[in-house]
Amino acid sequence: MSASSTVCRIMLACGLGLLAMPAVAQDAGKPAGVVELFTSQGCSSCPPADAALKTLIDDGKVVALSYHVDYWNYLGWADTLASKDNTARQYAYARMFGRSGVYTPQAVLNGRDHINGADLDGINNRLSSMDAAGKGLAVPISASVNKDEMTIKIGAGTGKANVVVVYFNREKLVDVQKGENSGKKISYWHSVRDIQTIGMWDGKPANFVLPASVLNEGENGGCAVLLQKMKDSETPGAIVGATTVMAETTAN
C-alpha cells in the first residue's frame, strides 16, 4: 500500500485534556443517521476520514463511531485502538453488501450502504437521500441516566431488531511512531472499545436498564445505542434507530 493511494484496500475471501465524570445523557433529538467509520492508524489514506468523522461529531447531527481494524498492523505499526471484534464487524458488513473484500477508510451508513469515509459531502448527501426514501432512523430511541442506572427507551415500529450498545472513548491522541503515518500525532474520536447486544426489540415499545458505570469504563467514556435488524444470525443489516450517551466531562 503506497502513501499516495487514495483508498487503502485489502481483498478478503468472504479525549485529550478531559476526565470521565458522572454519566449524563445527551439528547439532540432524532439523529440524521448513523456513520460507522472503519479506519486504521496504519493506513495513510485514513487521516482525512478521521478528520471528517470529527466534523460530523462536532455538527452533532449523526451518531458517529470509529472502528479501528487490525489488518494493516503488518505494515509496521500496530493500531493501538484496533480489535478483532471491530474487524469482524467490517467483515460481516462485507458479506451483507455482497463484497469480496473490505477497505479503509470505509464509512457504513445506517447499516445499509457504504462510501469512502473521507467523502464528507457524499456522506451527508447519502444520509439525506436515505431519510427521504424511508431508509433513515424511523424508530425513536432515547437514553437517560439517573444515579446508577442508564435507561434506554425504544419506541414502536415494525419488525424485529437487536439492541446493540457500542462503547467508545470520546477522544484518544496517538503518537504514531512507525508505518505509513510515522511521525504524526492524530486525535481519534469515538473509537469503539466494545460491542454488546443487550436484547431484542419486537416492534413494541421497550425499556432496557444498564448500570451507568458502563459509560465510565475507559477514558472519556460514552456509548451509542443502535437498533439494528439482522440479515441472519451473523450478518448485520439496516439500523432503524440510534442515540448517543456520553459521560460528563470536565477540562483539567
Side-chain angles (χ1 to χ4, degrees), residues 144-152 163-167 196-199 207-215 223-225:
S144 61
V145 177
N146 182 17
K147 296 181 179 179
D148 60 350
E149 292 185 347
M150 179 174 70
T151 301
I152 299 165
V163 183
V164 181
V165 180
V166 183
Y167 301 98
Q196 294 181 342
T197 298
I198 64 168
N207 294 346
F208 297 84
V209 178
L210 296 175
S213 60
V214 296
L215 295 178
C223 73
V225 182

Side-chain angles (χ1 to χ4, degrees), residues 5 8 54 59 72 75 77 96 134 156 168 193 200 204 217 233 242:
S5 62
C8 302
K54 174 60 162 56
D59 287 346
W72 293 126
L75 293 174
W77 177 256
M96 192 268 288
F168 59 81
R193 54 187 171 82
M200 282 198 66
K204 300 176 183 178
E217 293 178 4
S233 61

